[in-house]
Amino acid sequence: MSPETDDPLAGFDTTVHAPHRLRICALLEATGEAEFGLVQKELALSASALSKHVTVLMDAGYVEQRKAVRDTRQRVWLRLTRQGRAAYQGHLVALRAITAPSDPAP
């Protein structure tokens, strides 16, 4: 293990850590890609609240969107970028390391 990976906080990402953004990343990790409306429904967020969180994730390079017309309406699909997937997975590793019980001294 390198010194960077010995630190349980090495992968901790404050952008991902916010509860709604963590849930967005978890949903997108599981689905690969999801329509904005589905994410909104699954997370029980208003469109404006979801949009704000998605914007933060997009500005960080973690989420990208694809727009297309479907049933005569413009739809937006969201997905994690490679960087976003790595940040999310690294954050989960950090959370597990932080919450894991420590070994008692012998």
Side-chain angles (χ1 to χ4, degrees):
M1 241 181 208
S2 69
E4 300 89 40
T5 57
D6 287 342
D7 180 4
L9 293 177
F12 192 89
D13 190 309
T14 55
T15 300
V16 173
H17 188 67
H20 292 308
R21 292 194 293 268
L22 183 60
R23 293 176 67 210
I24 291 165
C25 289
L27 187 131
L28 296 178
E29 168 82 359
T31 61
E33 183 177 62
E35 190 176 354
F36 185 94
L38 173 73
V39 177
Q40 180 184 353
K41 181 179 175 183
E42 288 294 316
L43 302 184
L45 291 173
S46 68
S48 64
L50 177 57
S51 180
K52 287 176 186 177
H53 287 293
V54 167
T55 297
V56 170
L57 291 167
M58 288 177 62
D59 288 347
Y62 293 173
V63 168
E64 60 187 12
Q65 65 181 8
R66 174 176 64 86
K67 296 180 181 183
V69 175
R70 181 171 150 207
D71 299 330
T72 68
R73 294 184 54 199
Q74 183 166 334
R75 307 289 181 156
V76 175
W77 282 268
L78 305 170
R79 69 180 175 138
L80 287 175
T81 62
R82 184 171 295 162
Q83 179 184 355
R85 190 171 311 280
Y88 172 69
Q89 291 171 352
H91 188 72
L92 291 182
V93 169
L95 289 177
R96 287 185 191 108
I98 291 167
T99 60
S102 58
D103 291 331

